Amino acid sequence: MAGTTPLVLVVGSGGAPQRESEAILVRLKFAVAPAADVAEALRVVGGLAPDLVVARREEASQLRASGSVSAPIVEYAGDKGD
């Protein structure tokens, strides 16, 4: 809808790639909702309906496989611990 800020769900454990992604998105004037893991991301998706999901490859695969996410899912590179 025109005039609204897109909501981006960023999934990760709070490591550097996630923090960097969140910081960039905020600077670009996106609304950002963090989720620590796939289970939390699915709860957020159910309640907030984000416009975009950003997640590491493993989490992105799990989110796609769940069939619960209708928003586009973008993968970011990061170490397993990030």
Side-chain angles (χ1 to χ4, degrees):
M1 180 191 312
T4 61
T5 301
L7 175 62
V8 181
L9 172 61
V10 180
V11 184
S13 61
Q18 181 188 7
R19 288 190 305 271
E20 290 169 4
S21 297
E22 290 175 6
I24 290 168
L25 290 165
V26 167
R27 278 194 301 262
L28 293 172
K29 307 294 186 209
F30 288 93
V32 177
D37 54 33
V38 172
E40 184 176 0
L42 291 172
R43 287 191 299 274
V44 171
V45 165
L48 296 180
D51 299 294
L52 180 71
V53 177
V54 178
R56 288 184 307 230
R57 179 171 297 175
E58 182 178 327
E59 285 86 357
S61 295
Q62 292 174 15
L63 290 167
R64 287 185 187 106
S66 76
S68 300
V69 181
S70 60
I73 300 172
V74 176
E75 297 176 12
Y76 68 86
D79 294 333
K80 193 166 186 128
D82 286 341

